[in-house]
Amino acid sequence: MPDPCAHVGFGFVAARLLAAVLPWDTPAPQSLAIDLLIIAAANLPDAVDKPLYLMKCAPGTRSYGHTVLFLTATTCAAAFTACLLYTSPSPRDRG
């Protein structure tokens, strides 16, 4: 079972990759508040799943929180990709 540090590491990598991919006009801000937000958001699935498991409401420690996170991430990635594909000018329009 991954510990909270694995979630934080994954969260920081995902945030840095997202900041590198998005077309920002200015560099992504770096601050303690943003780092704390990443830490909290990265541990949110376990904060949902572990108490549900301990109260015997879920069959395992990876259930609802992890599923919702995965579905949200997949949906956002698909929407972002579609937005890039359908809003960027085609090569013949650049012309």
Side-chain angles (χ1 to χ4, degrees), residues 2-86:
D3 61 295
C5 292
H7 279 237
V8 171
F10 182 78
F12 273 109
V13 168
R16 298 302 182 244
L17 285 174
L18 187 63
V21 169
L22 289 177
W24 299 104
D25 291 337
T26 59
Q30 302 294 320
S31 70
L32 178 61
I34 291 174
D35 290 344
L36 291 175
L37 181 66
I38 292 171
I39 291 170
N43 283 304
L44 192 60
D46 276 345
V48 171
D49 289 341
K50 301 292 187 211
L52 289 175
Y53 174 72
L54 293 174
M55 292 184 302
K56 307 287 189 224
C57 295
T61 58
R62 292 186 189 143
S63 57
Y64 305 111
H66 285 82
T67 302
V68 169
L69 175 72
F70 177 74
L71 290 175
T72 302
T74 305
T75 303
C76 288
F80 179 71
T81 303
C83 184
L84 284 179
L85 290 175
Y86 293 113

